[in-house]
Amino acid sequence: MNKSNIFDLIPATLKDELFEELISKESLKIERIISRGHTTPEHEWYDQRSNEWVILLQGEAVLSFLNENDVRLKAGDYINIPAHKKHKVSWTKPDEDTIWLAVHY
């Protein structure tokens, strides 16, 4: 058994948002995402084939949904995003790590 810590091994510099797959099995994927001022490009939208449950462990972020209101998240907040619900990250704190735990199912 190997023990890990979700807050360890965070790079000092991040050119791009960091996606790290922690577990992947059949129809389940769990990943750690680290943002530091990163956002989804302006005219791009995530349109995923699976549902995504995501919790913000640290930092702050704003998720935008196509034709809906933005959702502001702070540490401890979580949201379930249904498959094919177009969304994007429109803001994360630029001076602090925003750490997400995403469960795709």
Side-chain angles (χ1 to χ4, degrees), residues 33 48 50-54 79-81 87 102-105:
I33 306 166
Q48 300 166 163
S50 61
N51 299 306
E52 179 182 8
W53 180 89
V54 65
I79 189 168
N80 192 59
I81 304 168
H87 65 285
V103 179
H104 302 267
Y105 63 99

Side-chain angles (χ1 to χ4, degrees), residues 36-100:
R36 194 178 297 138
H38 298 97
T39 60
T40 308
E42 184 178 350
H43 298 291
E44 290 183 26
W45 294 92
Y46 291 111
D47 184 1
Q48 300 166 163
R49 288 181 286 173
S50 61
N51 299 306
E52 179 182 8
W53 180 89
V54 65
I55 185 169
L56 208 63
L57 302 175
Q58 176 181 304
E60 294 180 39
V62 174
L63 290 177
S64 295
F65 293 89
L66 189 61
N67 301 321
E68 292 188 25
N69 292 330
D70 290 351
V71 176
R72 185 175 193 93
L73 301 171
K74 62 181 181 349
D77 290 340
Y78 60 88
I79 189 168
N80 192 59
I81 304 168
H84 297 291
K85 180 83 156 169
K86 290 187 178 182
H87 65 285
K88 64 181 169 180
V89 178
S90 54
W91 179 84
T92 61
K93 271 188 127 169
D95 56 348
E96 176 182 328
D97 291 334
T98 297
I99 302 175
W100 316 71

